């Protein structure tokens, strides 16, 4: 799937920043691809890049309108269809990470065909996967897990990829969600894979590798989330993770989209070890990643120090304070040349 860059990021009229997390992820990690944003009235998200009309975007060289929204159910609201059709009429391709296929909407399919434009459904793949086998395979793998969805699992492994490579380690980010696929240009949106094949798809994403190679696998959902735990468990089993990092957002009192309270970090550690040991008995935590964006620096650092002491693990905000402590732990726990 070769999506033409640069992008015009479509935010629709989303009610908050989290609803546009796909757009934020692309803008944060591939800013050179994001020329401008297209927002509808009442949109509460802002990438901090120029607002462009379609004609302006085309004039500035944009080639693809990216629907940068992640909403419940992955649907395309009816009142967005006019905007997508207009983009096709203006000469842009359209790419989406939603569950609904762009071509399943007659007006969009007709406009694409009429204008000779391409439609990309990043959440869907034509790849055929086997069921997971759980057979031990060489190479090292790290998985980010969460106390909830949308707590920074993707940002954590992207930051770790950068930090580990700077230390000379052989490490690759492995995308399991639509935003990660946009960022890396490869991967599979695991939540769109038929349930029986989730673990097999993860085995395909992170196959056998050289003994000192690290695949850094983007986590999804939470083992404690009543909506998404099935995806999280299949991902955990397929990853056969040697190591995991727990990701957390401290301002929440309930899980996103439901009324269930957040589990404790220790509960996530314990359950991840218990369930992950099915395919890798040596699985262990190597760090805690906390999204402290809503906190001032002093209380953020105090919270991280408290968590590090309470759990005996390096704790950091990967974007704000870096990942050096977690990389140190990985190097110590998994020395180069040691048998996997």
């Amino acid at each position: 799937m070769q999506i033409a860059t640069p992008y015009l990021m479509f935010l629709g009229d989303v009610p908050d920043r989290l609803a546009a997390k796909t757009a934020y992820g692309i803008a944060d990690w591939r800013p050179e691809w994001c020329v401008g944003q297209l927002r509808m009235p009442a949109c509460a998200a802002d990438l901090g890049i120029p607002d462009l009309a379609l004609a302006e975007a085309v004039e500035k060289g944009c080639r693809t309108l990216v629907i940068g929204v992640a909403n419940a159910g992955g649907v395309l609201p009816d009142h967005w269809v006019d905007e997508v059709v207009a983009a096709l009429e203006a000469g842009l391709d359209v790419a989406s990470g939603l569950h609904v296929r762009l071509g399943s909407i007659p007006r969009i399919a007709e406009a694409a065909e009429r204008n000779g434009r391409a439609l990309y459904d990043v959440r869907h793949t034509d790849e055929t996967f086997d069921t997971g086998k759980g057979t031990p395979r060489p190479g090292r793998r790290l998985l980010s897990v969460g106390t909830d969805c949308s707590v920074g699992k993707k940002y954590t492994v992207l930051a770790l990829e950068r930090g580990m490579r700077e230390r000379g380690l052989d490490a690759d980010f492995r995308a399991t969600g639509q935003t990660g696929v946009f960022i890396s240009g490869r991967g599979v949106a695991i939540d769109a894979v038929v349930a029986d094949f989730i673990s097999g798809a993860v085995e395909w994403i992170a196959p056998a590798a050289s003994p000192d190679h690290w695949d850094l696998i983007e986590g999804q959902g939470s083992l404690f989330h009543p909506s998404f735990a099935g995806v999280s468990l299949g991902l955990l089993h397929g990853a056969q993770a040697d190591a995991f990092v727990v990701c957390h957002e401290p301002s929440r009192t309930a899980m996103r989209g439901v009324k269930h309270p957040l589990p404790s970090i220790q509960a996530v550690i314990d359950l991840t070890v218990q369930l992950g040991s099915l395919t890798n008995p040596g699985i262990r935590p190597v760090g805690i990643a906390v999204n402290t964006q809503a906190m001032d620096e002093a209380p953020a650092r105090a919270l991280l120090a408290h968590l590090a002491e309470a759990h005996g693990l390096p704790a950091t905000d990967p974007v704000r304070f870096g990942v050096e402590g977690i990389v140190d732990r990985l190097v110590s726990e998994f020395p180069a040349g040691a048998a996997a």
Side-chain angles (χ1 to χ4, degrees), residues 29 70 72 76 81 93 98 100 150-151 170-171 173 175 187 190 210 233-234 267 297 301 315 318 328 337:
W29 295 95
L76 183 72
V81 173
D93 295 337
L98 299 171
V100 65
S150 303
V151 290
D170 183 13
F173 167 67
I190 289 297
S210 61
L233 181 58
E297 181 169 345
R301 289 191 180 278
D328 286 343

Side-chain angles (χ1 to χ4, degrees), residues 159-199:
L160 278 169
E161 178 190 54
R162 180 181 294 168
M164 293 172 73
R165 287 180 173 182
E166 288 173 352
R167 295 275 288 272
L169 299 173
D170 183 13
D172 287 314
F173 167 67
R174 299 302 185 191
T176 64
Q178 71 277 11
T179 309
V181 175
F182 273 122
I183 292 168
S184 70
R186 61 186 185 274
V188 176
I190 289 297
D191 63 1
V193 174
V194 174
D196 278 359
F197 304 100
I198 289 175
S199 59

Side-chain angles (χ1 to χ4, degrees), residues 249-321:
E249 211 279 37
S251 69
R252 298 186 193 176
T253 57
M255 306 188 85
R256 185 163 171 79
V258 296
K259 297 181 179 180
H260 291 63
L262 258 68
S264 68
I265 289 173
Q266 189 61 52
V268 173
I269 291 172
D270 292 343
L271 189 60
T272 301
V273 170
Q274 178 187 353
L275 298 177
S277 63
L278 175 69
T279 55
N280 189 340
I283 187 172
R284 70 195 79 166
V286 293
I288 300 168
V290 183
N291 181 349
T292 65
Q293 185 178 35
M295 304 176 67
D296 291 335
E297 181 169 345
R301 289 191 180 278
L303 173 62
L304 294 172
H306 167 74
L307 292 174
E309 181 177 2
H311 298 283
L313 294 167
T316 187
D317 181 323
V319 174
R320 193 174 187 180
F321 303 129

Side-chain angles (χ1 to χ4, degrees), residues 122-161:
V122 175
R123 206 164 201 146
H124 299 277
T125 178
D126 294 328
E127 191 70 34
T128 299
F129 303 111
D130 292 328
T131 56
K133 300 299 186 287
T135 304
R137 59 193 191 272
R140 297 290 190 188
R141 285 165 296 280
L142 178 146
L143 175 68
S144 55
V145 302
T147 56
D148 194 6
C149 55
S150 303
V151 290
K153 294 182 287 292
K154 173 175 61 269
Y155 278 52
T156 294
V157 286
L158 282 164
L160 278 169
E161 178 190 54

Side-chain angles (χ1 to χ4, degrees), residues 55-246:
E56 293 176 307
V58 171
E59 184 179 343
K60 291 181 178 295
C62 286
R63 299 180 65 189
T64 303
L65 178 79
V66 172
I67 299 174
V69 175
N71 56 28
V75 298
L76 183 72
D78 290 341
H79 63 288
W80 292 2
V81 173
D82 285 345
E83 299 288 343
V84 175
V85 169
L88 294 164
E89 299 281 4
L92 296 175
D93 295 337
V94 178
S96 168
L98 299 171
H99 280 294
V100 65
R101 292 181 184 269
L102 292 167
S104 70
I105 301 171
R107 289 184 58 213
I108 292 176
E110 292 164 6
E113 182 175 2
R114 184 171 62 251
N115 293 281
R117 308 317 310 170
L119 301 175
Y120 297 101
D121 295 300
V122 175
R123 206 164 201 146
H124 299 277
T125 178
D126 294 328
E127 191 70 34
T128 299
F129 303 111
D130 292 328
T131 56
K133 300 299 186 287
T135 304
R137 59 193 191 272
R140 297 290 190 188
R141 285 165 296 280
L142 178 146
L143 175 68
S144 55
V145 302
T147 56
D148 194 6
C149 55
S150 303
V151 290
K153 294 182 287 292
K154 173 175 61 269
Y155 278 52
T156 294
V157 286
L158 282 164
L160 278 169
E161 178 190 54
R162 180 181 294 168
M164 293 172 73
R165 287 180 173 182
E166 288 173 352
R167 295 275 288 272
L169 299 173
D170 183 13
D172 287 314
F173 167 67
R174 299 302 185 191
T176 64
Q178 71 277 11
T179 309
V181 175
F182 273 122
I183 292 168
S184 70
R186 61 186 185 274
V188 176
I190 289 297
D191 63 1
V193 174
V194 174
D196 278 359
F197 304 100
I198 289 175
S199 59
V202 181
E203 291 179 358
W204 180 86
I205 291 169
S210 61
D212 290 328
H213 174 80
W214 280 96
D215 277 335
L216 309 174
I217 303 171
E218 175 192 8
Q220 297 293 329
S222 170
L223 291 171
F224 289 83
H225 199 293
S227 303
F228 311 120
V231 174
S232 305
L233 181 58
L235 209 164
L236 175 61
H237 286 159
Q240 290 182 20
D242 299 282
F244 65 92
V245 175
V246 179

